[in-house]
């Protein structure tokens, strides 16, 4: 028996199945699953012939949902839906069907992010253990389990580093892969640059990097800002320098043949994008992680300008002020990443504060994986389109609320390079906020309601003999 399922659940389970061309050729209308979840199906409208069809999917030998049958040329959606449900029932009753069917191109060893590698627990990253073991993280865990078989990486250290010393960095790469797949791209996970992103419309390569804690040097003395004035100073100097270090390292890096990322075979004719996330300071119970408020330090460094704000006669006046350098604890670095030599080869810098377990939790809740007696509350600030607004609009909502929606690319910000030799148009990142600097002015393309920063609170209801748990 087949039952209808949400597009969110289907999109997750089939995250690596569709090719980018399918969005041109068809429009999906409904999504289905057998009661045991071993068979999926979708009904679609053929955009060329204007008739209807269906696709039936089962897992291949490594657990990826793939096309196992397809029928087309039905006159109506109703007929296509009925035929799909019959086909799913027949497949489910087939005594030879084991739940897996060979496609012939499966990798010999599937990638498993939760592989038991028989190493001491003390070597495993604390956030990996949190993800693996804590019941409240079941939504995120289910999302990673669905994504994991599709991560055919040329980097043999992916699983090891995800479980041990490089959890944040690998999480960021996996988030980017998932976000681009969700937006309809074909994504190749490479050794360098990390991702090759292609579609019939846009293609580009992406190298991921992160802001990590400083353990030595002037930046090791963290300012730990608390007041608005301290946060302003933090974003003026400390964070631009933190963002600058990994970005400049990626800009200058060459391989043994002397080739930069944008010169590597297979991507040398594409725009090149750097994607950065901030993990330099984790939440400590008293203050949130730095990624929730550090984004304001990125654009001044990239463009060598900052925006000052002044209220005049009830109107907010924004002024662009040039910045030549950033200084902290005796160290200074020049501002203006996009003005550096070779930076013209960088089409844009992408930032998001959503490459986190919390993001995967929320997407898992939307797919139906919330454990019993757990509630996930998202709270924070959304973009206010009022031109006189100085702060975002506060919000708080239960992620399981039917009115709540979220997509993988909602929090992405794209800073376009005015000197880029090869550019990516805003349409290449349809869910993102876009920033441009032309003729001495910073401009933005954004939409009302986009989340600027947020936290996710998990509530666990317990019986009367226990105290309520909040995390």
């Amino acid at each position: 028996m087949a039952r209808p399922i949400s597009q969110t659940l289907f999109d997750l389970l089939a995250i690596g199945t569709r090719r980018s061309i399918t969005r041109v050729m068809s429009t999906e209308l409904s999504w289905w699953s057998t009661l045991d979840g071993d068979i999926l199906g979708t009904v679609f409208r053929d955009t060329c012939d204007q008739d209807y069809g269906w696709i039936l999917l089962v897992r291949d030998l490594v657990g990826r949902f793939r096309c196992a049958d397809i029928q087309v040329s039905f006159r109506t959606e109703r007929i296509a839906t009925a035929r799909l449900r019959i086909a799913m029932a027949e497949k489910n009753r087939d005594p030879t069907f084991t739940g897996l069917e060979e496609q012939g191109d499966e990798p010999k060893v599937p990638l498993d992010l939760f592989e038991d590698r028989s190493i001491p627990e003390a070597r495993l990253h604390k956030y990996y253990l949190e993800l693996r073991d804590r019941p409240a993280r079941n939504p995120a865990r289910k999302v990673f389990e669905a994504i994991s078989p599709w991560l055919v990486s040329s980097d043999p250290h992916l699983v090891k580093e995800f479980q041990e010393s490089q959890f944040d960095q690998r999480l960021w790469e996996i988030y980017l892969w998932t976000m681009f797949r969700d937006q309809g791209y074909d994504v190749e996970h490479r050794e360098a640059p990390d991702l090759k992103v292609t579609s019939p419309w846009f293609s580009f390569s992406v190298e991921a990097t992160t802001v990590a804690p400083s353990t030595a040097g002037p930046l090791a003395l963290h300012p730990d800002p608390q007041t608005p004035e301290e946060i302003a100073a933090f974003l003026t100097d400390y964070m631009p320098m933190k963002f600058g270090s990994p970005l400049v390292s990626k800009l200058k890096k060459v391989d043994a043949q002397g080739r930069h990322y944008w010169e590597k075979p297979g991507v040398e004719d594409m725009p090149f994008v750097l994607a950065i996330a901030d993990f330099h300071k984790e939440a400590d119970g008293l203050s949130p992680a730095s990624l929730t408020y550090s984004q304001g330090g990125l654009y001044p460094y990239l463009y060598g300008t900052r925006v000052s704000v002044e209220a005049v006669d009830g109107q907010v006046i924004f002024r662009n002020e040039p910045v030549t350098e950033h200084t902290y604890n005796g160290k200074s670095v020049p501002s203006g990443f996009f003005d550096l030599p070779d930076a013209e080869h960088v089409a844009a810098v992408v930032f998001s504060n959503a490459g986190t377990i919390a993001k995967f939790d929320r997407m898992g809740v939307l797919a139906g994986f919330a454990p019993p007696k757990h509630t996930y509350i998202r709270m924070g600030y959304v973009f206010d389109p009022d031109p006189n607004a100085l702060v975002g609009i506060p919000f708080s909502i239960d992620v399981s609320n039917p009115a709540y929606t979220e997509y993988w690319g909602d929090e992405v910000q794209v800073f376009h390079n005015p000197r880029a030799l090869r550019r990516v148009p805003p349409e290449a990142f349809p869910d993102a906020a876009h920033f441009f600097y032309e003729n001495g002015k910073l401009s933005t393309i954004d939409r009302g309601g986009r989340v600027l920063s947020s936290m996710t609170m998990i509530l666990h209801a317990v019986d009367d003999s226990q105290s309520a748990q909040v995390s």
Side-chain angles (χ1 to χ4, degrees):
M1 180 177 178
R3 62 181 178 90
I5 61 174
S6 68
Q7 182 181 0
T8 301
L9 176 58
F10 184 91
D11 287 347
L12 174 61
L13 297 177
I15 187 68
T17 302
R18 302 179 184 92
R19 293 292 176 260
S20 57
I21 192 65
T22 60
R23 295 199 178 195
V24 178
M25 300 173 61
S26 63
T27 300
E28 295 175 10
L29 303 173
S30 62
W31 305 269
W32 301 82
S33 170
T34 52
L35 296 180
D36 58 13
D38 285 342
I39 304 171
L40 300 180
T42 181
V43 175
F44 63 88
R45 182 175 63 86
D46 187 318
T47 56
C48 295
D49 298 333
Q50 302 302 316
D51 54 14
Y52 299 86
W54 55 259
I55 300 174
L56 184 148
L57 302 92
V58 300
R59 291 184 177 91
D60 65 11
L61 297 185
V62 297
R64 303 175 298 187
F65 275 104
R66 312 277 296 279
C67 178
D69 197 2
I70 181 172
Q71 294 291 329
V72 298
S73 300
F74 297 104
R75 290 184 294 107
T76 67
E77 178 186 353
R78 183 177 180 180
I79 294 174
T81 301
R83 296 292 179 85
L84 169 64
R85 297 181 70 179
I86 292 171
M88 294 175 71
E90 291 176 346
K91 172 68 74 173
N92 208 30
R93 291 195 300 266
D94 184 347
T96 66
F97 177 59
T98 65
L100 303 176
E101 288 191 354
E102 184 176 2
Q103 291 274 345
D105 61 352
E106 293 91 339
K108 294 181 180 179
V109 181
L111 190 146
D112 179 7
L113 292 171
F114 298 99
E115 175 188 351
D116 184 357
R117 298 166 45 245
S118 300
I119 63 173
E121 296 277 293
R123 285 177 52 188
L124 298 176
H125 196 283
K126 65 179 181 179
Y127 289 150
Y128 171 75
L129 292 173
E130 163 98 358
L131 174 64
R132 187 193 69 180
D133 298 338
R134 189 177 170 201
R137 296 303 187 185
N138 182 70
R141 193 159 54 249
K142 289 294 186 182
V143 172
F144 280 106
E145 289 172 355
I147 293 171
S148 183
W150 289 102
L151 298 176
V152 183
S153 175
S154 59
D155 187 343
H157 306 298
L158 176 60
V159 173
K160 178 180 184 297
E161 292 180 352
F162 178 77
Q163 295 184 2
E164 298 183 42
S165 59
Q166 302 293 317
F167 177 84
D168 290 334
Q169 292 86 337
R170 292 306 194 174
L171 177 62
W172 175 231
E173 291 177 28
I174 294 168
Y175 164 78
L176 290 169
W177 182 93
T178 308
M179 182 267 293
F180 286 126
R181 283 295 303 158
D182 182 65
Q183 293 186 343
Y185 287 105
D186 299 322
V187 186
E188 177 188 343
H189 207 147
R190 299 163 51 96
E191 185 172 0
D194 293 311
L195 303 175
K196 181 179 180 180
V197 182
T198 59
S199 76
W201 307 278
F202 313 111
S203 297
F204 48 92
S205 64
V206 180
E207 176 65 14
T209 189
T210 59
V211 179
S214 296
T215 57
L219 298 185
L221 179 61
H222 196 278
D224 192 23
Q226 302 296 321
T227 67
E229 293 76 16
E230 290 172 345
I231 293 176
F234 172 77
L235 298 177
T236 296
D237 289 306
Y238 186 85
M239 275 315 304
M241 296 171 72
K242 289 291 293 179
F243 281 121
S245 179
L247 289 174
V248 172
S249 294
K250 293 294 185 181
L251 182 66
K252 293 182 176 181
K253 187 173 181 179
V254 295
D255 62 15
Q257 287 74 44
R259 298 173 300 196
H260 294 87
Y261 287 109
W262 56 85
E263 297 172 319
K264 296 294 184 73
V267 300
E268 67 272 25
D269 295 325
M270 295 180 175
F272 171 67
V273 172
L274 282 170
I276 191 165
D278 174 26
F279 295 103
H280 88 272
K281 186 178 185 297
E282 63 188 43
D284 58 12
L286 297 176
S287 59
S290 59
L291 59 83
T292 63
Y293 59 87
S294 64
Q295 56 192 321
L298 181 55
Y299 81 85
Y301 172 70
L302 295 177
Y303 296 120
T305 187
R306 69 169 58 95
V307 177
S308 65
V309 181
E310 182 182 1
V312 179
D313 298 328
Q315 297 293 316
V316 176
I317 307 299
F318 297 91
R319 293 187 176 89
N320 294 280
E321 299 177 349
V323 179
T324 58
E325 65 178 12
H326 305 278
T327 301
Y328 178 79
N329 198 22
K331 179 180 179 179
S332 296
V333 300
S335 192
F337 173 79
F338 288 139
D339 293 325
L340 294 176
D342 285 331
E344 65 272 13
H345 298 288
V346 180
V349 170
V350 168
F351 173 85
S352 176
N353 56 17
T356 62
I357 295 177
K359 176 72 172 185
F360 286 78
D361 263 334
R362 295 194 302 271
M363 300 306 291
V365 170
L366 290 172
F369 294 127
K373 299 183 178 181
H374 285 72
T375 302
Y376 297 75
I377 305 294
R378 190 182 192 190
M379 60 189 71
Y381 294 89
V382 297
F383 174 71
D384 187 342
D386 183 346
N388 290 317
L390 294 178
V391 296
I393 302 171
F395 78 96
S396 176
I397 190 169
D398 185 338
V399 177
S400 63
N401 187 318
Y404 180 78
T405 59
E406 182 174 355
Y407 301 96
W408 285 102
D410 282 353
E411 301 85 0
V412 171
Q413 301 177 42
V414 182
F415 298 88
H416 295 263
N417 182 359
R419 297 179 56 239
L421 297 177
R422 294 188 176 94
R423 303 194 178 195
V424 287
E427 295 80 9
F429 297 83
D431 298 328
H434 295 268
F435 298 85
F436 306 87
Y437 187 73
E438 300 285 352
N439 300 319
K441 292 184 178 181
L442 183 69
S443 60
T444 306
I445 299 176
D446 208 339
R447 54 181 169 80
R450 184 178 62 84
V451 174
L452 299 174
S453 65
S454 72
M455 295 183 291
T456 303
M457 179 171 61
I458 305 174
L459 303 177
H460 180 200
V462 297
D463 59 41
D464 293 340
S465 63
Q466 299 172 285
S467 300
Q469 299 178 11
V470 181
S471 60

